[in-house]
Amino acid sequence: MDLSVTSTELTTDAAVSTSASAATGASVFIPTPGTPYQEDIARYWDREARPVNLRLGDVDGLYHHHYGIGDIDRTALGDADDSTYEKKLIAELHRLESAQAELLLDHLGPIERDNTLVDAGCGRGGSMVMAHQRFGCEVEGVTLSAKQASFANRRAHELGIEDHVHAHVCDMLGTPFETGQIAASWNNESSMYVDLHDLFAEHARILAPGGRYVTITGCWNPRYGRPSKWVSQINAHFECNIHSRREYLRAMADNRLVPQAVIDLTAATLPYWGLRATSPLVTGIEEAFINSYKDGSFQYLLIAADRV
Protein backbone atom coordinates (compact mmCIF):
# COMPACT_ATOMS: atom_id res chain seq x y z
CA MET A 1 0.00 0.00 0.00
CA ASP A 2 1.50 3.32 -1.06
CA LEU A 3 1.64 5.77 1.83
CA SER A 4 3.63 8.43 0.01
CA VAL A 5 1.87 11.78 0.06
CA THR A 6 2.96 15.16 1.35
CA SER A 7 1.22 17.50 3.76
CA THR A 8 1.22 20.14 1.02
CA GLU A 9 -0.98 17.90 -1.12
CA LEU A 10 -3.34 17.23 1.77
CA THR A 11 -3.43 20.54 3.63
CA THR A 12 -7.02 21.72 3.83
CA ASP A 13 -9.04 24.20 5.81
CA ALA A 14 -12.48 24.10 7.32
CA ALA A 15 -13.98 25.63 4.20
CA VAL A 16 -13.29 22.51 2.17
CA SER A 17 -14.40 20.09 4.88
CA THR A 18 -17.76 19.56 3.23
CA SER A 19 -16.34 18.66 -0.18
CA ALA A 20 -13.81 16.29 1.36
CA SER A 21 -16.50 14.55 3.37
CA ALA A 22 -18.67 14.19 0.31
CA ALA A 23 -15.79 12.60 -1.59
CA THR A 24 -15.36 9.97 1.10
CA GLY A 25 -19.03 9.32 1.79
CA ALA A 26 -18.83 10.74 5.31
CA SER A 27 -21.50 12.93 6.83
CA VAL A 28 -21.23 16.58 5.85
CA PHE A 29 -23.05 17.79 8.98
CA ILE A 30 -20.71 19.71 11.24
CA PRO A 31 -22.27 20.37 14.67
CA THR A 32 -21.51 23.52 16.61
CA PRO A 33 -19.33 22.88 19.69
CA GLY A 34 -21.52 22.87 22.79
CA THR A 35 -19.50 25.17 25.09
CA PRO A 36 -17.16 28.14 24.72
CA TYR A 37 -14.28 25.90 25.80
CA GLN A 38 -15.10 23.39 23.06
CA GLU A 39 -15.24 26.25 20.58
CA ASP A 40 -11.76 27.32 21.72
CA ILE A 41 -10.39 23.80 21.32
CA ALA A 42 -11.97 23.38 17.89
CA ARG A 43 -10.50 26.73 16.84
CA TYR A 44 -7.08 25.81 18.26
CA TRP A 45 -6.83 22.57 16.27
CA ASP A 46 -8.39 24.04 13.14
CA ARG A 47 -5.56 26.57 13.10
CA GLU A 48 -2.79 24.20 14.17
CA ALA A 49 -0.20 23.49 11.45
CA ARG A 50 2.99 22.76 13.36
CA PRO A 51 5.86 21.45 11.23
CA VAL A 52 6.57 18.91 13.99
CA ASN A 53 3.28 17.21 13.11
CA LEU A 54 3.21 17.74 9.36
CA ARG A 55 6.86 17.11 8.45
CA LEU A 56 6.97 13.94 10.52
CA GLY A 57 3.81 12.73 8.79
CA ASP A 58 5.33 13.47 5.41
CA VAL A 59 7.87 10.68 6.04
CA ASP A 60 5.36 7.95 5.16
CA GLY A 61 1.90 9.54 5.11
CA LEU A 62 0.92 8.64 8.68
CA TYR A 63 0.03 11.91 10.42
CA HIS A 64 0.09 11.67 14.20
CA HIS A 65 -0.59 14.08 17.05
CA HIS A 66 1.34 12.37 19.82
CA TYR A 67 4.87 11.72 21.02
CA GLY A 68 7.31 8.84 20.70
CA ILE A 69 8.80 5.99 22.69
CA GLY A 70 11.86 3.80 22.44
CA ASP A 71 15.61 4.05 22.08
CA ILE A 72 17.10 6.21 19.36
CA ASP A 73 18.73 4.38 16.47
CA ARG A 74 22.01 6.29 16.33
CA THR A 75 23.18 4.23 13.37
CA ALA A 76 20.19 5.42 11.33
CA LEU A 77 20.93 9.04 12.27
CA GLY A 78 24.53 8.94 11.09
CA ASP A 79 26.87 11.93 11.29
CA ALA A 80 25.34 15.22 12.47
CA ASP A 81 27.51 17.09 9.94
CA ASP A 82 26.11 15.12 7.02
CA SER A 83 23.81 17.05 4.65
CA THR A 84 21.12 14.38 5.07
CA TYR A 85 21.18 14.43 8.88
CA GLU A 86 18.08 16.60 9.30
CA LYS A 87 16.04 14.33 7.06
CA LYS A 88 17.25 11.28 9.00
CA LEU A 89 16.47 12.95 12.33
CA ILE A 90 12.90 13.69 11.25
CA ALA A 91 12.49 10.11 10.05
CA GLU A 92 13.75 8.83 13.41
CA LEU A 93 11.33 11.04 15.37
CA HIS A 94 8.51 9.71 13.20
CA ARG A 95 9.62 6.12 13.75
CA LEU A 96 9.42 6.67 17.51
CA GLU A 97 5.94 8.20 17.36
CA SER A 98 4.68 5.34 15.18
CA ALA A 99 6.20 2.91 17.72
CA GLN A 100 4.04 4.61 20.36
CA ALA A 101 0.91 4.00 18.27
CA GLU A 102 1.92 0.38 17.69
CA LEU A 103 2.23 -0.13 21.46
CA LEU A 104 -1.27 1.23 21.97
CA LEU A 105 -2.65 -1.10 19.29
CA ASP A 106 -0.81 -4.01 20.92
CA HIS A 107 -2.97 -3.52 24.01
CA LEU A 108 -6.36 -3.52 22.26
CA GLY A 109 -6.55 -7.30 22.58
CA PRO A 110 -7.86 -9.71 19.92
CA ILE A 111 -9.67 -7.77 17.18
CA GLU A 112 -11.69 -9.39 14.37
CA ARG A 113 -12.26 -8.02 10.87
CA ASP A 114 -15.97 -7.47 11.57
CA ASN A 115 -15.28 -5.38 14.68
CA THR A 116 -15.50 -1.60 14.95
CA LEU A 117 -12.92 0.49 16.80
CA VAL A 118 -13.18 4.11 17.97
CA ASP A 119 -10.35 6.65 18.19
CA ALA A 120 -11.51 9.45 20.49
CA GLY A 121 -9.58 12.56 19.54
CA CYS A 122 -8.34 11.13 16.24
CA GLY A 123 -6.42 14.14 14.97
CA ARG A 124 -5.32 13.72 11.35
CA GLY A 125 -5.99 10.00 11.49
CA GLY A 126 -2.59 8.28 11.59
CA SER A 127 -3.55 5.79 14.30
CA MET A 128 -6.82 4.96 12.54
CA VAL A 129 -4.95 4.03 9.38
CA MET A 130 -2.52 1.88 11.35
CA ALA A 131 -5.38 0.12 13.17
CA HIS A 132 -7.17 -0.72 9.91
CA GLN A 133 -3.95 -1.92 8.30
CA ARG A 134 -3.28 -4.22 11.24
CA PHE A 135 -6.76 -5.59 11.94
CA GLY A 136 -8.67 -5.04 8.69
CA CYS A 137 -11.67 -3.74 10.63
CA GLU A 138 -13.80 -0.60 10.68
CA VAL A 139 -12.23 2.37 12.50
CA GLU A 140 -14.22 5.45 13.45
CA GLY A 141 -12.59 8.64 14.74
CA VAL A 142 -13.99 11.73 16.40
CA THR A 143 -12.52 15.21 16.69
CA LEU A 144 -13.82 18.71 17.37
CA SER A 145 -11.72 20.01 14.49
CA ALA A 146 -13.40 20.11 11.07
CA LYS A 147 -9.98 20.65 9.51
CA GLN A 148 -8.54 17.53 11.12
CA ALA A 149 -11.55 15.42 10.15
CA SER A 150 -11.32 16.63 6.56
CA PHE A 151 -7.61 15.82 6.44
CA ALA A 152 -8.16 12.33 7.89
CA ASN A 153 -11.00 11.54 5.49
CA ARG A 154 -9.02 12.74 2.49
CA ARG A 155 -6.10 10.59 3.61
CA ALA A 156 -8.36 7.53 3.86
CA HIS A 157 -9.67 8.31 0.37
CA GLU A 158 -6.10 8.58 -0.99
CA LEU A 159 -5.34 5.15 0.48
CA GLY A 160 -8.53 3.59 -0.85
CA ILE A 161 -9.77 2.70 2.65
CA GLU A 162 -12.55 5.29 2.93
CA ASP A 163 -15.14 2.51 3.28
CA HIS A 164 -13.45 1.39 6.49
CA VAL A 165 -11.88 4.49 8.08
CA HIS A 166 -13.93 7.60 8.88
CA ALA A 167 -13.44 10.76 10.92
CA HIS A 168 -16.45 12.55 12.41
CA VAL A 169 -16.70 16.10 13.72
CA CYS A 170 -18.19 15.68 17.17
CA ASP A 171 -17.52 15.82 20.88
CA MET A 172 -15.88 12.68 22.28
CA LEU A 173 -18.23 12.98 25.27
CA GLY A 174 -21.27 12.43 23.04
CA THR A 175 -20.43 10.19 20.10
CA PRO A 176 -22.91 8.95 17.44
CA PHE A 177 -22.16 5.26 18.05
CA GLU A 178 -24.73 2.79 19.32
CA THR A 179 -24.56 1.49 22.87
CA GLY A 180 -22.49 -1.65 23.41
CA GLN A 181 -21.37 -2.11 19.79
CA ILE A 182 -17.68 -1.14 19.88
CA ALA A 183 -15.00 -3.81 20.36
CA ALA A 184 -12.27 -1.43 21.53
CA SER A 185 -11.65 2.30 21.85
CA TRP A 186 -8.83 4.61 22.82
CA ASN A 187 -7.59 8.08 23.62
CA ASN A 188 -4.05 8.83 22.51
CA GLU A 189 -2.94 12.02 24.26
CA SER A 190 -6.42 13.56 23.97
CA SER A 191 -8.05 12.92 27.37
CA MET A 192 -6.62 16.10 28.91
CA TYR A 193 -9.24 18.12 27.03
CA VAL A 194 -12.28 16.69 28.83
CA ASP A 195 -13.72 15.69 32.18
CA LEU A 196 -12.58 12.12 32.84
CA HIS A 197 -15.83 10.91 34.42
CA ASP A 198 -17.80 12.10 31.40
CA LEU A 199 -15.21 10.62 29.02
CA PHE A 200 -15.12 7.18 30.61
CA ALA A 201 -18.91 7.10 30.92
CA GLU A 202 -19.10 7.51 27.14
CA HIS A 203 -16.47 4.86 26.47
CA ALA A 204 -18.28 2.48 28.84
CA ARG A 205 -21.54 3.18 26.99
CA ILE A 206 -20.26 2.41 23.50
CA LEU A 207 -18.02 -0.55 24.41
CA ALA A 208 -19.40 -4.06 24.30
CA PRO A 209 -19.16 -5.99 27.59
CA GLY A 210 -15.57 -7.20 27.79
CA GLY A 211 -14.47 -4.52 25.30
CA ARG A 212 -11.07 -2.95 25.77
CA TYR A 213 -10.25 0.72 26.38
CA VAL A 214 -6.69 2.02 26.14
CA THR A 215 -5.22 5.42 26.83
CA ILE A 216 -1.71 6.77 26.53
CA THR A 217 -1.44 10.06 28.33
CA GLY A 218 0.69 12.44 30.30
CA CYS A 219 -0.54 12.90 33.86
CA TRP A 220 0.77 14.73 36.87
CA ASN A 221 2.11 12.58 39.66
CA PRO A 222 0.04 12.85 42.88
CA ARG A 223 3.17 11.98 44.85
CA TYR A 224 4.57 15.34 43.77
CA GLY A 225 1.70 17.02 45.65
CA ARG A 226 0.31 19.41 43.05
CA PRO A 227 0.84 20.07 39.32
CA SER A 228 4.36 21.46 38.95
CA LYS A 229 5.31 24.66 37.16
CA TRP A 230 6.34 22.52 34.18
CA VAL A 231 2.91 20.86 34.02
CA SER A 232 1.31 24.31 34.21
CA GLN A 233 3.41 25.40 31.23
CA ILE A 234 2.27 22.38 29.23
CA ASN A 235 -1.37 23.15 30.10
CA ALA A 236 -0.97 26.74 28.92
CA HIS A 237 0.85 25.73 25.72
CA PHE A 238 -1.83 23.26 24.59
CA GLU A 239 -4.84 24.95 26.25
CA CYS A 240 -5.64 21.76 28.12
CA ASN A 241 -6.09 20.51 31.69
CA ILE A 242 -3.76 17.64 32.56
CA HIS A 243 -5.23 15.19 35.08
CA SER A 244 -3.46 13.24 37.81
CA ARG A 245 -2.80 9.52 37.63
CA ARG A 246 -5.17 9.06 40.57
CA GLU A 247 -7.99 10.81 38.70
CA TYR A 248 -7.66 8.38 35.78
CA LEU A 249 -7.90 5.29 37.96
CA ARG A 250 -10.75 6.66 40.06
CA ALA A 251 -12.83 7.73 37.05
CA MET A 252 -12.31 4.35 35.40
CA ALA A 253 -13.46 2.54 38.55
CA ASP A 254 -16.57 4.72 38.67
CA ASN A 255 -17.44 3.78 35.09
CA ARG A 256 -16.99 0.01 34.99
CA LEU A 257 -13.58 0.13 33.35
CA VAL A 258 -11.23 -2.25 35.15
CA PRO A 259 -7.49 -1.71 34.50
CA GLN A 260 -5.66 -4.75 33.15
CA ALA A 261 -2.33 -3.00 32.64
CA VAL A 262 -0.77 0.24 33.88
CA ILE A 263 2.61 0.84 32.24
CA ASP A 264 4.91 3.73 33.07
CA LEU A 265 6.38 4.93 29.76
CA THR A 266 8.20 7.94 31.20
CA ALA A 267 11.71 6.54 30.72
CA ALA A 268 10.73 5.25 27.27
CA THR A 269 9.61 8.67 26.03
CA LEU A 270 12.61 10.71 27.25
CA PRO A 271 14.84 9.72 24.28
CA TYR A 272 12.20 11.11 21.91
CA TRP A 273 12.12 14.43 23.75
CA GLY A 274 15.89 14.65 23.93
CA LEU A 275 16.16 14.14 20.18
CA ARG A 276 13.32 16.52 19.40
CA ALA A 277 14.98 19.24 21.51
CA THR A 278 17.96 19.10 19.11
CA SER A 279 15.82 19.22 15.96
CA PRO A 280 14.73 22.17 13.81
CA LEU A 281 11.13 21.35 14.76
CA VAL A 282 11.26 22.61 18.34
CA THR A 283 8.12 24.39 19.57
CA GLY A 284 9.44 25.76 22.86
CA ILE A 285 7.67 23.22 25.08
CA GLU A 286 10.41 20.59 25.00
CA GLU A 287 12.12 21.85 28.18
CA ALA A 288 8.90 21.57 30.20
CA PHE A 289 8.38 17.95 29.15
CA ILE A 290 11.99 16.92 29.77
CA ASN A 291 12.27 18.63 33.17
CA SER A 292 8.88 17.43 34.45
CA TYR A 293 9.62 13.84 33.44
CA LYS A 294 13.04 14.00 35.09
CA ASP A 295 11.86 15.57 38.37
CA GLY A 296 8.99 13.07 38.70
CA SER A 297 6.16 15.62 38.63
CA PHE A 298 4.86 14.33 35.28
CA GLN A 299 4.42 10.77 34.06
CA TYR A 300 3.71 9.18 30.70
CA LEU A 301 1.36 6.23 31.16
CA LEU A 302 -0.42 3.54 29.19
CA ILE A 303 -3.58 2.25 30.89
CA ALA A 304 -5.55 -0.64 29.39
CA ALA A 305 -8.94 -1.40 30.94
CA ASP A 306 -11.79 -3.79 30.22
CA ARG A 307 -15.48 -2.86 30.26
CA VAL A 308 -17.30 -5.03 32.82
Side-chain angles (χ1 to χ4, degrees):
M1 182 176 291
D2 181 14
L3 288 172
S4 59
V5 63
T6 67
S7 59
T8 302
E9 294 174 75
L10 286 173
T11 299
T12 60
D13 56 28
V16 301
S17 177
T18 298
S19 61
S21 297
T24 61
S27 171
V28 298
F29 173 67
I30 300 176
T32 301
T35 68
Y37 177 71
Q38 289 174 317
E39 292 175 1
D40 286 344
I41 298 307
R43 187 179 306 112
Y44 177 93
W45 288 109
D46 278 342
R47 294 174 178 174
E48 184 275 333
R50 293 190 188 93
V52 73
N53 292 320
L54 294 172
R55 286 191 64 187
L56 267 61
D58 286 346
V59 171
D60 62 5
L62 292 170
Y63 292 85
H64 298 300
H65 282 275
H66 58 253
Y67 310 126
I69 58 169
D71 293 330
I72 297 167
D73 185 348
R74 299 291 178 183
T75 303
L77 285 177
D79 189 339
D81 295 327
D82 191 281
S83 61
T84 63
Y85 180 77
E86 180 178 317
K87 181 178 179 180
K88 292 176 180 178
L89 186 151
I90 289 171
E92 182 64 5
L93 286 173
H94 182 63
R95 184 186 69 82
L96 297 176
E97 66 174 358
S98 288
Q100 189 261 33
E102 293 284 8
L103 181 69
L104 187 152
L105 298 179
D106 288 344
H107 284 80
L108 293 181
I111 302 296
E112 305 295 334
R113 293 183 66 88
D114 61 351
N115 287 156
T116 300
L117 311 179
V118 169
D119 182 350
C122 64
R124 290 185 172 93
S127 295
M128 292 197 296
V129 172
M130 291 175 68
H132 173 72
Q133 289 175 340
R134 180 187 289 205
F135 303 117
C137 63
E138 303 289 313
V139 188
E140 305 286 347
V142 299
T143 173
L144 285 174
S145 168
K147 185 174 182 179
Q148 287 186 341
S150 175
F151 193 108
N153 285 329
R154 288 189 62 187
R155 188 70 190 109
H157 182 68
E158 290 284 341
L159 292 170
I161 58 174
E162 67 270 26
D163 291 339
H164 304 283
V165 176
H166 318 96
H168 307 263
V169 182
C170 71
D171 183 359
M172 68 176 75
L173 303 182
T175 65
F177 313 117
E178 294 184 14
T179 298
Q181 299 301 306
I182 302 303
S185 60
W186 69 86
N187 286 93
N188 196 351
E189 297 182 16
S190 56
S191 55
M192 63 287 298
Y193 285 101
V194 294
D195 177 88
L196 290 181
H197 279 83
D198 293 342
L199 175 66
F200 294 150
E202 181 63 3
H203 281 287
R205 181 190 70 80
I206 65 175
L207 283 170
R212 172 63 57 88
Y213 169 75
V214 179
T215 184
I216 295 182
T217 186
C219 56
W220 65 270
N221 188 350
R223 291 185 178 180
Y224 192 82
R226 295 289 296 170
S228 67
K229 65 178 182 180
W230 304 116
V231 172
S232 297
Q233 286 184 22
I234 296 168
N235 276 334
H237 183 85
F238 292 104
E239 299 183 20
C240 64
N241 180 33
I242 293 167
H243 307 290
S244 72
R245 182 185 65 224
R246 183 178 297 145
E247 289 175 279
Y248 278 92
L249 298 176
R250 183 177 297 152
M252 286 182 179
D254 289 344
N255 288 284
R256 305 185 69 179
L257 294 171
V258 179
Q260 304 299 308
V262 180
I263 303 173
D264 189 337
L265 299 173
T266 306
T269 198
L270 271 168
Y272 165 89
W273 284 103
L275 185 62
R276 175 166 151 174
T278 69
S279 80
L281 304 178
V282 292
T283 64
I285 200 59
E286 289 78 14
E287 180 185 21
F289 275 91
I290 292 170
N291 288 338
S292 61
Y293 284 143
K294 286 184 174 180
D295 71 16
S297 64
F298 197 40
Q299 294 177 302
Y300 197 52
L301 295 185
L302 180 150
I303 306 174
D306 286 347
R307 163 69 162 87
V308 298

